[in-house]
Amino acid sequence: MPALVLLGAQWGDEGKGKATDLLGGSVDYVVRYQGGNNAGHTVVVGDQKYALHLLPSGILSPGCIPVIGNGVVIDPAVLLSELSGLNERGIDTSKLLISGNAHLITPYHQTIDKVTERFLGKRKIGTTGRGIGPAYADKINRVGIRVQDLFDESILRQKVDAALADKNQVLVKLFNRRAISADQVVEEYLGYAEQIKDYVADTTLLLNQALEQDKVVLLEGGQGTLLDVDHGTYPFVTSSNPTAGGACTGSGIGPTKITRVIGILKAYTTRVGAGPFPTELLDEDGEALRRIGGERGVTTGRDRRCGWFDAVIARYATRVNGLTDFFLTKLDVLTGWEQIPVCVAYEIDGERVEELPYSQTDFHHAKPVYEYLPGWSEDISKAQTFADLPKNAQAYVKALEEMSGAPISAIGVGPGRTETIEINSFL
Ligand code: GDP
Ligand code: IMO
Ligand code: MG
């Protein structure tokens, strides 16, 4: 049976949590494959609201096995507090599996994340401050600490010592901060070992065996395509690969097993943190989208920057991820505008450009070319089928589909599980 990928098609916060939760009832495994607790996935089930950061959204579906893949960076303190928070609310988390090859975020990664941002001043990325970038940097530099290291005290000690040798020099001499004690880190992390031990598994082997046994595996991305370290708006990106290729490396599932790649696409655009954003609105419309859409970060509480839909970005997401479908979210938020601008191309230095420019300079100069689609004023939050939508809302969806290059197979008309119009089945 197939593996499916579900990922963000824009700059994150497209509604991946809701979409994953919706599919969670029909799949056997939900796997996070990259990122860490920089993610904030909101899931609304009935009158209950959950904010997940590190755990896959499938943890809320009783029949589903949640997996934290090798490509994720794990802050063990956050992991344990998220687990106990769910347990207190009656959610069974005992089926969770964690890859022994996943890397750990340590207190020194968080410190370095924060001081680096401060040092960058006006050029800062606006990171979530969770230590994500420094943890991935250590992984690539081959001085990272992995989950499996927690179970061998002498190796853990050697690795923490090695990782801190140069970092403490930098912290003290360059950033004027106190050195971090390797002993303290080791002591704290050995304390997590016992609590995490039972979850740790060879997740790559288990997932591939599951696929052989006709189980369905859903790979859930964090962040989004434009935040990808290779394909996003570098350097204003996260330090991992949310795009479809990352789902393979971050889980150990080969590309030939993936049959569906679903891009989650907001009916307008948002972004948190610094970096270019051609359709950003700094006016009343932007304020209205923020207010109606509740566009405030789940992880850091920062207001999200808001703007109109950008079809150039959607087309790009189709291309770099090989998307087979879109799940369009938050269509309900656009109710009430007389007409809705949609960016169909950019103007860069006087020229019309249809594709996302690869040059950072060009992208910074890109000005949106808008087409204006007629809006609707009817409440659409109870719509259950495409035909229930007002004609202008239907036309808006069809226009987006045409511009974006993949079929829109589901539409979100509210935050709840049932507030979804399913057009084509994902399974
Ligand atoms: P994620 O990071 O991609 O999982 O997205 P977030 O959870 O950070 O942000 C999406 C927000 O939109 C959450 O508050 C969701 O509950 C909410 N949401 C998701 N889909 C819809 C929808 O179709 N309509 C409305 N009104 N809200 C939605
Ligand atoms: P979800 O999964 C939106 C942004 C940060 C910053 C940049 C780098 O909820 O969609 P990092 O801490 O990752 O080094 O920050 O990436 N960012 C997100 N923006 N949604 C997210 O996750 C994000 N995770 C990171 O704001 O600009
Ligand atoms: Mg989010």
Side-chain angles (χ1 to χ4, degrees), residues 8 11-17 32 34-42 52-53 113 117 124-134 136 220-224 227 235-240 270-275 297-300 302 304-305:
W11 275 290
D13 303 324
E14 299 90 348
K16 298 176 292 293
R32 274 287 303 271
Q34 47 66 238
N37 61 307
N38 47 350
H41 297 178
T42 312
L52 301 167
H53 297 285
D113 193 354
E117 281 281 274
K124 72 176 183 192
I125 311 292
T127 72
T128 59
R130 302 297 193 263
I132 304 292
Y136 276 114
E220 177 192 14
Q223 293 76 52
L227 287 171
F236 301 102
V237 293
T238 191
S239 299
S240 66
T270 62
R271 170 162 210 175
V272 195
V298 196
T299 300
T300 56
R302 289 180 289 180
R304 293 175 183 153
R305 300 157 65 193

CSV table of all heavy atoms in Angstrom, one decimal, residues 8 11-17 32 34-42 52-53 113 117 124-134 136 220-224 227 235-240 270-275 297-300 302 304-305, ligand 2:
chain,number,residue,atom,x,y,z
A,8,GLY,N,3.3,21.5,3.6
A,8,GLY,CA,2.9,22.9,3.4
A,8,GLY,C,3.4,23.4,2.1
A,8,GLY,O,4.5,23.3,1.7
A,11,TRP,N,4.4,29.2,3.3
A,11,TRP,CA,5.4,29.5,4.3
A,11,TRP,C,5.0,28.9,5.6
A,11,TRP,O,5.3,29.5,6.7
A,11,TRP,CB,5.6,31.0,4.4
A,11,TRP,CG,6.6,31.6,3.5
A,11,TRP,CD1,7.9,31.4,3.4
A,11,TRP,CD2,6.3,32.5,2.4
A,11,TRP,NE1,8.5,32.2,2.4
A,11,TRP,CE2,7.5,32.8,1.7
A,11,TRP,CE3,5.1,33.1,1.9
A,11,TRP,CZ2,7.6,33.7,0.6
A,11,TRP,CZ3,5.2,33.9,0.8
A,11,TRP,CH2,6.4,34.2,0.2
A,12,GLY,N,4.3,27.8,5.6
A,12,GLY,CA,3.9,27.2,6.9
A,12,GLY,C,2.5,27.7,7.4
A,12,GLY,O,2.0,28.6,6.8
A,13,ASP,N,2.0,27.0,8.4
A,13,ASP,CA,0.7,27.4,9.0
A,13,ASP,C,-0.4,27.3,8.0
A,13,ASP,O,-1.4,28.1,8.1
A,13,ASP,CB,0.8,28.8,9.6
A,13,ASP,CG,1.9,28.8,10.6
A,13,ASP,OD1,2.1,27.8,11.3
A,13,ASP,OD2,2.5,29.9,10.8
A,14,GLU,N,-0.4,26.4,7.0
A,14,GLU,CA,-1.4,26.3,6.0
A,14,GLU,C,-2.6,25.5,6.5
A,14,GLU,O,-3.7,25.6,5.9
A,14,GLU,CB,-0.9,25.6,4.8
A,14,GLU,CG,0.3,26.3,4.1
A,14,GLU,CD,1.6,25.9,4.6
A,14,GLU,OE1,1.7,25.2,5.6
A,14,GLU,OE2,2.6,26.2,3.9
A,15,GLY,N,-2.4,24.8,7.7
A,15,GLY,CA,-3.5,24.0,8.2
A,15,GLY,C,-3.1,22.5,8.0
A,15,GLY,O,-4.0,21.6,7.9
A,16,LYS,N,-1.8,22.2,8.1
A,16,LYS,CA,-1.4,20.8,8.0
A,16,LYS,C,-1.9,19.9,9.1
A,16,LYS,O,-2.3,18.8,8.9
A,16,LYS,CB,0.2,20.8,8.0
A,16,LYS,CG,0.8,21.5,6.8
A,16,LYS,CD,2.3,21.5,6.9
A,16,LYS,CE,2.8,22.3,8.1
A,16,LYS,NZ,2.6,23.8,8.0
A,17,GLY,N,-2.0,20.5,10.3
A,17,GLY,CA,-2.5,19.7,11.5
A,17,GLY,C,-3.9,19.3,11.3
A,17,GLY,O,-4.2,18.1,11.4
A,32,ARG,N,6.2,12.3,11.4
A,32,ARG,CA,6.9,13.6,11.2
A,32,ARG,C,8.2,13.3,10.6
A,32,ARG,O,9.0,12.4,11.1
A,32,ARG,CB,7.0,14.3,12.5
A,32,ARG,CG,5.9,15.2,13.0
A,32,ARG,CD,5.7,16.5,12.2
A,32,ARG,NE,6.8,17.4,12.2
A,32,ARG,CZ,7.1,18.3,13.1
A,32,ARG,NH1,6.3,18.5,14.1
A,32,ARG,NH2,8.2,19.1,13.0
A,34,GLN,N,10.7,15.9,9.4
A,34,GLN,CA,11.7,16.9,9.6
A,34,GLN,C,11.2,18.0,10.6
A,34,GLN,O,10.1,17.9,11.0
A,34,GLN,CB,12.1,17.6,8.2
A,34,GLN,CG,10.9,18.0,7.3
A,34,GLN,CD,10.0,19.1,7.8
A,34,GLN,OE1,8.8,18.9,8.0
A,34,GLN,NE2,10.6,20.3,8.1
A,35,GLY,N,12.1,18.9,10.8
A,35,GLY,CA,11.7,20.0,11.7
A,35,GLY,C,11.7,19.5,13.2
A,35,GLY,O,12.1,18.4,13.5
A,36,GLY,N,11.1,20.3,14.0
A,36,GLY,CA,11.1,20.0,15.4
A,36,GLY,C,9.9,20.7,16.1
A,36,GLY,O,8.9,20.9,15.4
A,37,ASN,N,10.2,21.3,17.2
A,37,ASN,CA,9.1,22.0,17.9
A,37,ASN,C,9.1,23.5,17.5
A,37,ASN,O,8.5,24.3,18.2
A,37,ASN,CB,9.2,21.8,19.4
A,37,ASN,CG,10.5,22.3,20.0
A,37,ASN,OD1,11.6,22.0,19.6
A,37,ASN,ND2,10.4,23.2,21.0
A,38,ASN,N,9.7,23.8,16.3
A,38,ASN,CA,9.4,25.1,15.7
A,38,ASN,C,8.0,25.0,15.1
A,38,ASN,O,7.4,26.1,14.9
A,38,ASN,CB,10.4,25.4,14.6
A,38,ASN,CG,10.7,24.3,13.7
A,38,ASN,OD1,10.3,23.1,13.9
A,38,ASN,ND2,11.4,24.6,12.6
A,39,ALA,N,7.5,23.8,14.8
A,39,ALA,CA,6.1,23.7,14.2
A,39,ALA,C,5.1,24.0,15.3
A,39,ALA,O,5.3,23.8,16.5
A,39,ALA,CB,5.9,22.3,13.7
A,40,GLY,N,3.9,24.4,14.8
A,40,GLY,CA,2.8,24.6,15.7
A,40,GLY,C,1.6,24.2,14.9
A,40,GLY,O,1.2,24.8,13.9
A,41,HIS,N,1.0,23.0,15.1
A,41,HIS,CA,-0.1,22.4,14.4
A,41,HIS,C,-1.3,22.4,15.2
A,41,HIS,O,-1.3,21.7,16.2
A,41,HIS,CB,0.3,21.0,13.9
A,41,HIS,CG,1.4,21.0,12.9
A,41,HIS,ND1,1.9,19.8,12.4
A,41,HIS,CD2,2.2,22.0,12.4
A,41,HIS,CE1,3.0,20.1,11.6
A,41,HIS,NE2,3.2,21.4,11.6
A,42,THR,N,-2.3,23.2,14.8
A,42,THR,CA,-3.5,23.2,15.6
A,42,THR,C,-4.5,22.2,15.1
A,42,THR,O,-4.8,22.2,13.9
A,42,THR,CB,-4.2,24.6,15.5
A,42,THR,OG1,-3.1,25.6,15.8
A,42,THR,CG2,-5.3,24.8,16.5
A,52,LEU,N,-0.1,21.0,18.7
A,52,LEU,CA,1.0,20.1,18.7
A,52,LEU,C,2.2,20.7,18.1
A,52,LEU,O,2.1,21.5,17.1
A,52,LEU,CB,0.6,18.9,17.9
A,52,LEU,CG,-0.6,18.1,18.3
A,52,LEU,CD1,-1.1,17.1,17.3
A,52,LEU,CD2,-0.4,17.4,19.7
A,53,HIS,N,3.4,20.5,18.7
A,53,HIS,CA,4.6,21.1,18.2
A,53,HIS,C,5.6,20.0,17.6
A,53,HIS,O,6.1,20.2,16.6
A,53,HIS,CB,5.3,21.9,19.3
A,53,HIS,CG,4.5,23.0,19.8
A,53,HIS,ND1,4.3,24.1,19.0
A,53,HIS,CD2,3.6,23.1,20.9
A,53,HIS,CE1,3.5,25.0,19.7
A,53,HIS,NE2,3.0,24.4,20.8
A,113,ASP,N,21.0,29.6,19.1
A,113,ASP,CA,20.0,30.1,18.2
A,113,ASP,C,19.7,31.6,18.6
A,113,ASP,O,19.6,32.5,17.8
A,113,ASP,CB,18.7,29.3,18.4
A,113,ASP,CG,17.6,29.5,17.3
A,113,ASP,OD1,17.8,30.4,16.5
A,113,ASP,OD2,16.6,28.8,17.3
A,117,GLU,N,20.8,35.2,16.5
A,117,GLU,CA,19.8,36.1,16.0
A,117,GLU,C,20.1,37.5,16.5
A,117,GLU,O,20.0,38.5,15.8
A,117,GLU,CB,18.4,35.6,16.5
A,117,GLU,CG,17.8,34.5,15.7
A,117,GLU,CD,17.2,34.9,14.4
A,117,GLU,OE1,16.0,35.3,14.4
A,117,GLU,OE2,17.9,34.9,13.4
A,124,LYS,N,18.3,39.6,11.0
A,124,LYS,CA,17.9,38.3,11.7
A,124,LYS,C,16.8,37.6,10.9
A,124,LYS,O,16.1,38.2,10.1
A,124,LYS,CB,17.5,38.6,13.1
A,124,LYS,CG,16.2,39.3,13.2
A,124,LYS,CD,15.8,39.4,14.7
A,124,LYS,CE,14.4,40.1,14.8
A,124,LYS,NZ,14.0,40.5,16.1
A,125,ILE,N,16.7,36.3,11.1
A,125,ILE,CA,15.8,35.5,10.3
A,125,ILE,C,14.4,35.5,11.0
A,125,ILE,O,13.4,35.3,10.4
A,125,ILE,CB,16.3,34.0,10.3
A,125,ILE,CG1,17.7,33.9,9.9
A,125,ILE,CG2,15.4,33.1,9.5
A,125,ILE,CD1,18.0,34.2,8.5
A,126,GLY,N,14.4,35.8,12.3
A,126,GLY,CA,13.1,35.7,13.1
A,126,GLY,C,12.8,34.3,13.4
A,126,GLY,O,11.7,33.8,13.2
A,127,THR,N,13.8,33.5,13.8
A,127,THR,CA,13.6,32.1,14.1
A,127,THR,C,12.7,32.0,15.3
A,127,THR,O,12.4,32.9,16.0
A,127,THR,CB,14.9,31.4,14.4
A,127,THR,OG1,15.4,31.8,15.7
A,127,THR,CG2,16.0,31.6,13.4
A,128,THR,N,12.3,30.7,15.5
A,128,THR,CA,11.4,30.5,16.7
A,128,THR,C,12.2,30.4,18.0
A,128,THR,O,11.6,30.2,19.0
A,128,THR,CB,10.6,29.1,16.5
A,128,THR,OG1,11.6,28.1,16.3
A,128,THR,CG2,9.7,29.2,15.2
A,129,GLY,N,13.5,30.4,17.9
A,129,GLY,CA,14.4,30.4,19.1
A,129,GLY,C,14.4,29.0,19.7
A,129,GLY,O,14.8,28.9,20.9
A,130,ARG,N,14.0,28.0,19.0
A,130,ARG,CA,13.9,26.6,19.6
A,130,ARG,C,15.2,25.8,19.4
A,130,ARG,O,15.3,24.6,19.8
A,130,ARG,CB,12.8,25.9,19.0
A,130,ARG,CG,11.4,26.5,19.2
A,130,ARG,CD,11.1,26.7,20.7
A,130,ARG,NE,9.7,27.0,20.9
A,130,ARG,CZ,9.3,28.3,21.1
A,130,ARG,NH1,10.1,29.3,21.2
A,130,ARG,NH2,8.0,28.5,21.4
A,131,GLY,N,16.2,26.4,18.8
A,131,GLY,CA,17.5,25.7,18.6
A,131,GLY,C,17.5,24.8,17.4
A,131,GLY,O,18.4,24.0,17.3
A,132,ILE,N,16.6,25.0,16.5
A,132,ILE,CA,16.5,24.2,15.3
A,132,ILE,C,17.7,24.2,14.4
A,132,ILE,O,18.3,23.2,14.1
A,132,ILE,CB,15.2,24.5,14.5
A,132,ILE,CG1,14.0,24.5,15.4
A,132,ILE,CG2,15.1,23.7,13.2
A,132,ILE,CD1,13.5,23.2,15.9
A,133,GLY,N,18.1,25.5,14.0
A,133,GLY,CA,19.2,25.6,13.1
A,133,GLY,C,20.5,25.1,13.7
A,133,GLY,O,21.2,24.3,13.0
A,134,PRO,N,20.9,25.5,14.9
A,134,PRO,CA,22.1,24.9,15.5
A,134,PRO,C,22.1,23.4,15.6
A,134,PRO,O,23.1,22.7,15.4
A,134,PRO,CB,22.2,25.6,16.8
A,134,PRO,CG,21.5,26.9,16.6
A,134,PRO,CD,20.3,26.6,15.7
A,136,TYR,N,20.5,21.2,13.6
A,136,TYR,CA,20.8,20.7,12.3
A,136,TYR,C,22.2,21.0,11.8
A,136,TYR,O,22.8,20.1,11.1
A,136,TYR,CB,19.8,21.2,11.2
A,136,TYR,CG,18.5,20.5,11.2
A,136,TYR,CD1,17.3,21.1,11.6
A,136,TYR,CD2,18.4,19.2,10.8
A,136,TYR,CE1,16.1,20.5,11.6
A,136,TYR,CE2,17.2,18.5,10.7
A,136,TYR,CZ,16.0,19.1,11.1
A,136,TYR,OH,14.8,18.5,11.1
A,220,GLU,N,3.9,13.5,7.4
A,220,GLU,CA,3.4,14.8,7.7
A,220,GLU,C,4.6,15.9,7.8
A,220,GLU,O,5.4,15.7,8.7
A,220,GLU,CB,2.6,14.8,9.1
A,220,GLU,CG,2.1,16.2,9.5
A,220,GLU,CD,1.6,16.3,11.0
A,220,GLU,OE1,1.9,15.3,11.7
A,220,GLU,OE2,1.0,17.3,11.3
A,221,GLY,N,4.6,16.8,6.9
A,221,GLY,CA,5.6,17.8,7.0
A,221,GLY,C,5.3,18.9,8.0
A,221,GLY,O,4.2,19.2,8.4
A,222,GLY,N,6.4,19.5,8.5
A,222,GLY,CA,6.3,20.7,9.3
A,222,GLY,C,6.7,21.9,8.4
A,222,GLY,O,7.2,21.6,7.2
A,223,GLN,N,6.5,23.1,8.8
A,223,GLN,CA,6.9,24.3,8.0
A,223,GLN,C,6.3,24.2,6.6
A,223,GLN,O,5.2,23.7,6.5
A,223,GLN,CB,8.4,24.4,7.9
A,223,GLN,CG,9.0,24.8,9.3
A,223,GLN,CD,9.1,23.6,10.2
A,223,GLN,OE1,9.6,22.6,9.9
A,223,GLN,NE2,8.7,23.8,11.5
A,224,GLY,N,7.0,24.7,5.6
A,224,GLY,CA,6.4,24.7,4.2
A,224,GLY,C,7.4,24.8,3.2
A,224,GLY,O,8.6,25.0,3.4
A,227,LEU,N,9.9,27.6,3.0
A,227,LEU,CA,10.8,27.6,4.2
A,227,LEU,C,11.8,26.5,4.1
A,227,LEU,O,12.7,26.4,5.0
A,227,LEU,CB,10.0,27.5,5.5
A,227,LEU,CG,9.2,28.7,6.0
A,227,LEU,CD1,8.3,28.3,7.2
A,227,LEU,CD2,10.1,29.9,6.4
A,235,PRO,N,18.1,33.2,2.6
A,235,PRO,CA,18.4,32.5,3.9
A,235,PRO,C,17.2,32.6,4.9
A,235,PRO,O,17.3,32.2,6.0
A,235,PRO,CB,19.6,33.3,4.5
A,235,PRO,CG,19.3,34.7,4.0
A,235,PRO,CD,18.7,34.5,2.6
A,236,PHE,N,16.1,33.1,4.4
A,236,PHE,CA,14.9,33.3,5.4
A,236,PHE,C,14.1,32.0,5.3
A,236,PHE,O,13.0,32.0,4.8
A,236,PHE,CB,14.1,34.5,5.0
A,236,PHE,CG,14.9,35.8,5.0
A,236,PHE,CD1,15.4,36.4,3.8
A,236,PHE,CD2,15.3,36.4,6.2
A,236,PHE,CE1,16.2,37.5,3.9
A,236,PHE,CE2,16.1,37.5,6.3
A,236,PHE,CZ,16.5,38.1,5.1
A,237,VAL,N,14.7,31.0,5.8
A,237,VAL,CA,14.1,29.6,5.8
A,237,VAL,C,14.4,28.9,7.1
A,237,VAL,O,15.1,29.4,8.0
A,237,VAL,CB,14.7,28.8,4.6
A,237,VAL,CG1,14.4,29.4,3.3
A,237,VAL,CG2,16.3,28.7,4.8
A,238,THR,N,13.8,27.7,7.2
A,238,THR,CA,14.2,26.9,8.3
A,238,THR,C,15.4,26.0,7.9
A,238,THR,O,15.8,26.1,6.8
A,238,THR,CB,13.0,26.0,8.8
A,238,THR,OG1,13.3,25.4,10.1
A,238,THR,CG2,12.6,25.0,7.8
A,239,SER,N,15.9,25.2,8.8
A,239,SER,CA,17.1,24.4,8.4
A,239,SER,C,16.9,23.0,8.0
A,239,SER,O,17.8,22.2,8.2
A,239,SER,CB,18.1,24.5,9.6
A,239,SER,OG,18.4,25.9,9.9
A,240,SER,N,15.7,22.7,7.5
A,240,SER,CA,15.5,21.3,7.1
A,240,SER,C,14.8,21.3,5.7
A,240,SER,O,14.5,22.4,5.2
A,240,SER,CB,14.6,20.6,8.1
A,240,SER,OG,13.3,21.2,8.2
A,270,THR,N,0.2,33.6,4.3
A,270,THR,CA,0.8,34.2,5.6
A,270,THR,C,2.2,33.8,5.7
A,270,THR,O,2.7,32.8,5.1
A,270,THR,CB,0.0,33.6,6.9
A,270,THR,OG1,0.2,32.2,7.0
A,270,THR,CG2,-1.5,34.0,6.8
A,271,ARG,N,2.9,34.5,6.5
A,271,ARG,CA,4.3,34.2,6.8
A,271,ARG,C,4.7,34.7,8.2
A,271,ARG,O,4.2,35.8,8.6
A,271,ARG,CB,5.1,34.9,5.7
A,271,ARG,CG,6.6,34.9,6.0
A,271,ARG,CD,7.5,35.2,4.8
A,271,ARG,NE,8.7,34.5,5.1
A,271,ARG,CZ,9.8,34.3,4.3
A,271,ARG,NH1,9.8,34.9,3.2
A,271,ARG,NH2,10.8,33.6,4.7
A,272,VAL,N,5.5,33.9,8.9
A,272,VAL,CA,6.0,34.4,10.2
A,272,VAL,C,7.5,34.6,10.1
A,272,VAL,O,8.1,33.8,9.5
A,272,VAL,CB,5.7,33.4,11.4
A,272,VAL,CG1,5.9,34.0,12.7
A,272,VAL,CG2,4.3,32.8,11.3
A,273,GLY,N,8.0,35.6,10.7
A,273,GLY,CA,9.5,35.8,10.6
A,273,GLY,C,9.8,36.7,9.4
A,273,GLY,O,8.9,37.2,8.7
A,274,ALA,N,11.1,36.9,9.2
A,274,ALA,CA,11.6,37.8,8.2
A,274,ALA,C,11.6,37.2,6.8
A,274,ALA,O,11.5,36.0,6.7
A,274,ALA,CB,13.0,38.4,8.6
A,275,GLY,N,11.8,38.1,5.8
A,275,GLY,CA,12.0,37.6,4.5
A,275,GLY,C,11.0,38.1,3.5
A,275,GLY,O,10.0,38.6,3.9
A,297,GLY,N,0.8,33.1,15.6
A,297,GLY,CA,1.6,31.9,15.7
A,297,GLY,C,1.2,31.0,16.9
A,297,GLY,O,1.0,31.6,18.0
A,298,VAL,N,1.1,29.7,16.7
A,298,VAL,CA,0.9,28.8,17.8
A,298,VAL,C,2.1,28.6,18.6
A,298,VAL,O,2.0,28.2,19.8
A,298,VAL,CB,0.4,27.4,17.2
A,298,VAL,CG1,-0.2,26.6,18.3
A,298,VAL,CG2,-0.4,27.5,16.0
A,299,THR,N,3.3,28.7,18.0
A,299,THR,CA,4.5,28.4,18.8
A,299,THR,C,5.1,29.6,19.5
A,299,THR,O,5.4,29.5,20.7
A,299,THR,CB,5.6,27.9,17.8
A,299,THR,OG1,5.0,26.7,17.2
A,299,THR,CG2,6.9,27.5,18.4
A,300,THR,N,5.1,30.8,18.8
A,300,THR,CA,5.7,31.9,19.4
A,300,THR,C,4.8,33.0,19.8
A,300,THR,O,5.1,34.0,20.4
A,300,THR,CB,6.8,32.5,18.5
A,300,THR,OG1,6.2,32.8,17.2
A,300,THR,CG2,7.9,31.5,18.2
A,302,ARG,N,3.6,35.1,17.8
A,302,ARG,CA,3.8,36.3,17.0
A,302,ARG,C,2.6,36.5,16.0
A,302,ARG,O,2.1,35.5,15.5
A,302,ARG,CB,5.1,36.2,16.2
A,302,ARG,CG,6.3,36.3,17.0
A,302,ARG,CD,7.6,36.1,16.2
A,302,ARG,NE,7.8,34.8,15.7
A,302,ARG,CZ,8.8,34.4,14.9
A,302,ARG,NH1,9.7,35.2,14.5
A,302,ARG,NH2,8.9,33.1,14.6
A,304,ARG,N,1.0,36.8,12.5
A,304,ARG,CA,1.5,36.4,11.2
A,304,ARG,C,1.3,37.5,10.2
A,304,ARG,O,0.3,38.2,10.3
A,304,ARG,CB,0.7,35.1,10.7
A,304,ARG,CG,1.0,33.9,11.6
A,304,ARG,CD,0.1,32.7,11.2
A,304,ARG,NE,0.4,31.6,12.0
A,304,ARG,CZ,-0.5,30.7,12.3
A,304,ARG,NH1,-1.7,30.7,11.7
A,304,ARG,NH2,-0.3,29.6,13.1
A,305,ARG,N,2.3,37.7,9.3
A,305,ARG,CA,2.1,38.6,8.2
A,305,ARG,C,1.1,38.0,7.2
A,305,ARG,O,1.2,36.8,6.9
A,305,ARG,CB,3.5,38.8,7.5
A,305,ARG,CG,4.6,39.4,8.5
A,305,ARG,CD,6.0,39.0,8.0
A,305,ARG,NE,6.3,39.7,6.8
A,305,ARG,CZ,7.4,39.4,6.0
A,305,ARG,NH1,8.2,38.4,6.4
A,305,ARG,NH2,7.7,40.1,5.0
B,2,IMO,P1,4.4,25.0,11.0
B,2,IMO,O1,4.8,23.6,11.0
B,2,IMO,C1,5.6,29.1,10.1
B,2,IMO,C2,9.8,30.1,10.4
B,2,IMO,C3,10.3,31.0,11.5
B,2,IMO,C4,11.4,31.7,10.9
B,2,IMO,C5,12.1,30.6,10.0
B,2,IMO,C6,13.2,29.9,10.7
B,2,IMO,O2,3.5,25.4,12.1
B,2,IMO,O3,3.9,25.5,9.7
B,2,IMO,P2,13.4,28.2,12.8
B,2,IMO,O4,13.1,28.3,14.2
B,2,IMO,O5,12.8,27.1,12.1
B,2,IMO,O6,14.9,28.2,12.6
B,2,IMO,O7,12.9,29.6,12.1
B,2,IMO,O8,11.0,29.6,9.8
B,2,IMO,N1,9.1,28.9,10.9
B,2,IMO,C7,7.7,28.8,10.7
B,2,IMO,N2,6.8,29.6,10.2
B,2,IMO,N3,5.2,27.9,10.5
B,2,IMO,C8,6.1,27.0,11.0
B,2,IMO,O9,5.8,25.8,11.3
B,2,IMO,C9,7.4,27.5,11.2
B,2,IMO,N4,8.6,26.9,11.6
B,2,IMO,C10,9.6,27.8,11.4
B,2,IMO,O10,9.3,32.0,11.8
B,2,IMO,O11,11.0,32.7,9.9
